[in-house]
């Protein structure tokens, strides 16, 4: 027997539709005899018309007043309220000689149209009517029609539709959504969580319907091929960057022997720039700072050292925060991330502040703010893209980076520590970069969660 959960979506829908048909049939079979056997208005009107016709026939055969009274009395036992019409009413009475005339007139009185039914429903009761029928040339009968509550006829029909259609369809929709769409939702969540930063070989679980399992298998294969391609590209670029160090070293040695001071200074500056570019590229491509194990450090002392080092080079950097605050992190990585932020801010601002605060559950908050021109909301998002430069937006200051400072810092915070780095505006102008580092326990949970998905 095929497992229903792992069958194709077409098979699941077919089975559920069949179950709906069976369910509707069973409910209709059990409910209709009760609903229509007791409350069908058409049946009641037909019975009423038949009894009126019987009374008319009996009254037509009477010859004396005693016989007429006996017929009227027997009509009362049948639930028919009838009385003999006065001579004035006889002139206005209608004849009912053709078969079916009485049934047509009773229905005309008791069965209103759609809007009349709604009016009766809002009023809570139907209007009382009388039916004046001519027996012969000198006699006529006045029949008082029963007053039926509109709820008696309308609500059973609604209840029948609810029992047979609405409730089964609602149940089917609920269980089908749980059965069919839940694997799709789980699959979408796995697709959002999967990224190129981890080592997950098969992040998409091959579970659920046949189509979902086939799609998950295809995406796992595609992702593995992409990972292989990215890994090959990274190794190639890392090798190229590493191999460039040898000719750069030879160029530096030759430049140092240059007899022209101005030319020597320009050549050494260009060589230094190329070396920095190689260092930035290697750090970004190889994630070398992510492999260092975490340990407990005094983050306050680390940030104070960074501020002091930059201040000694002539950059106005200040630090504010507790004198001592420990956290579990990779100190080399955090040092590089904060250095990147300060270096980036120093190109566009003349004052930089490093703030440190303790966060909830043992985490820390590092805030690097500057008084530069700031960034627009669109550029804030693009500033975290590798090799993207925002010099056109932030024109204050001189020099320029390689477009890897912010992406490298964001990768250290997010991938290396499971934290979050955000960019926001500083009033009246400037940029604030916030680094939220979770506690050591939360970092371990993030790494374990990633390992459990492998």
């Amino acid at each position: 027997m095929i497992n229903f959960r792992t069958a194709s979506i077409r098979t699941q829908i077919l089975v559920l539709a069949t179950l709906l048909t069976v369910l509707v049939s069973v409910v209709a079979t059990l409910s209709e005899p009760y609903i229509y056997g007791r409350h069908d208005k058409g049946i009641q009107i037909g019975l009423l018309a038949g009894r009126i016709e019987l009374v008319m026939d009996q009254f037509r055969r009477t010859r004396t007043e005693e016989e007429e009274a006996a017929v009227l009395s027997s009509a009362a036992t049948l639930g028919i309220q009838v009385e003999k019409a006065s001579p004035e009413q006889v002139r206005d009475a209608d004849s009912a000689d053709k078969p079916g005339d009485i049934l047509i007139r009773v229905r005309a009185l008791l069965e209103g149209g759609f809007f009349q039914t709604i009016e009766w429903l809002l009023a809570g009761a139907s209007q009382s009517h009388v039916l004046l029928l001519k027996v012969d040339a000198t006699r006529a009968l006045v029949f008082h029609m029963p007053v039926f509550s509109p709820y008696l006829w309308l609500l059973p029909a609604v209840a029948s539709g609810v029992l047979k259609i609405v409730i089964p369809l609602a149940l089917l929709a609920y269980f089908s959504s749980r059965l069919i769409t839940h694997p799709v939702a789980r699959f979408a969540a796995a697709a959002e969580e999967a990224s190129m930063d981890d080592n997950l070989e098969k992040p998409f679980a091959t579970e659920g319907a046949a189509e979902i399992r086939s799609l998950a298998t295809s995406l796992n294969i595609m992702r593995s091929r992409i990972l292989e391609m990215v890994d090959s590209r990274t190794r190639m670029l890392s090798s190229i960057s590493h191999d460039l160090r040898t000719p750069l070293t030879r160029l530096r040695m030759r430049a140092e022997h240059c007899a022209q001071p101005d030319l020597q200074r320009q050549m050494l500056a260009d060589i230094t720039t190329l070396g920095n570019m190689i260092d930035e590229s290697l750090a970004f491509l190889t994630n070398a700072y992510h492999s260092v194990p975490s340990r407990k450090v005094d983050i306050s002392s680390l940030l104070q050292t960074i501020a002091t080092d930059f201040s000694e080079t002539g950059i106005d950097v200040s630090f504010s925060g507790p004198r001592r605050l420990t956290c579990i992190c990779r100190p080399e990585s955090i040092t590089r991330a904060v250095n990147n932020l300060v270096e980036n801010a120093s190109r566009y601002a003349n004052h930089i502040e490093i703030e440190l605060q303790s966060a909830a559950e043992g985490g820390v908050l590092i805030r690097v703010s500057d008084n530069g021109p700031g960034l627009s909301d669109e550029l804030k998002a693009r500033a975290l893209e590798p090799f993207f430069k925002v010099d056109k937006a932030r024109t204050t200051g001189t020099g320029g980076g390689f477009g890897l400072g912010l992406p490298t810092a964001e990768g250290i915070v997010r991938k290396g520590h499971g934290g979050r780095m955000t960019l926001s505006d500083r009033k009246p102008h400037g940029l604030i970069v916030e680094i939220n580092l979770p506690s050591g326990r939360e970092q371990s949970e993030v790494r374990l969660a990633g390992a459990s998905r492998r």
Side-chain angles (χ1 to χ4, degrees), residues 314-332:
I315 301 175
D316 185 6
V317 180
S318 63
F319 170 79
S320 62
R323 296 184 59 182
R324 179 176 176 82
L325 180 61
T326 60
C327 74
I328 297 177
C329 66
R330 297 179 173 94
E332 295 83 1

Side-chain angles (χ1 to χ4, degrees), residues 217-235:
T217 302
S218 300
L219 286 180
N220 284 330
I221 295 175
M222 180 186 69
R223 187 173 182 278
S224 298
R225 292 175 178 173
I226 294 176
L227 286 175
E228 293 176 0
M229 179 185 66
V230 172
D231 187 58
S232 299
R233 184 203 64 178
T234 302
R235 288 197 303 268

